[in-house]
């Protein structure tokens, strides 16, 4: 999910760069940094679903 959000942020950064949209708080460099952060979180496994039912059942077997 985070990789999809990162891709959308990269597309927005590209559009901002091509259209020369500039503002103080949100420019294409900020969006690229946000996209890289989201991509790094995705690669680190943040946001990955965990099967909690499998963990509970493995604890009961012990």
């Amino acid at each position: 999910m985070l990789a999809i959000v990162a891709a959308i942020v990269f597309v927005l950064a590209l559009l901002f760069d091509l259209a020369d949209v500039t503002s103080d708080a949100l420019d294409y460099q900020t969006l690229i940094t946000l996209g890289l952060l989201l991509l790094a979180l995705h690669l680190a496994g943040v946001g990955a679903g965990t099967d909690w039912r499998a963990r509970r059942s493995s604890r009961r077997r012990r």
Side-chain angles (χ1 to χ4, degrees), residues 10-45:
F10 285 138
V11 167
L12 286 175
L14 178 64
L15 290 176
F16 277 20
D17 187 31
L18 292 175
D20 286 332
V21 174
T22 57
S23 70
D24 292 337
L26 189 66
D27 60 351
Y28 74 94
Q29 291 176 343
T30 306
L31 289 175
I32 288 176
T33 304
L34 177 62
L36 289 174
L37 172 67
L38 291 171
L39 192 59
L41 288 173
H42 170 74
L43 291 175

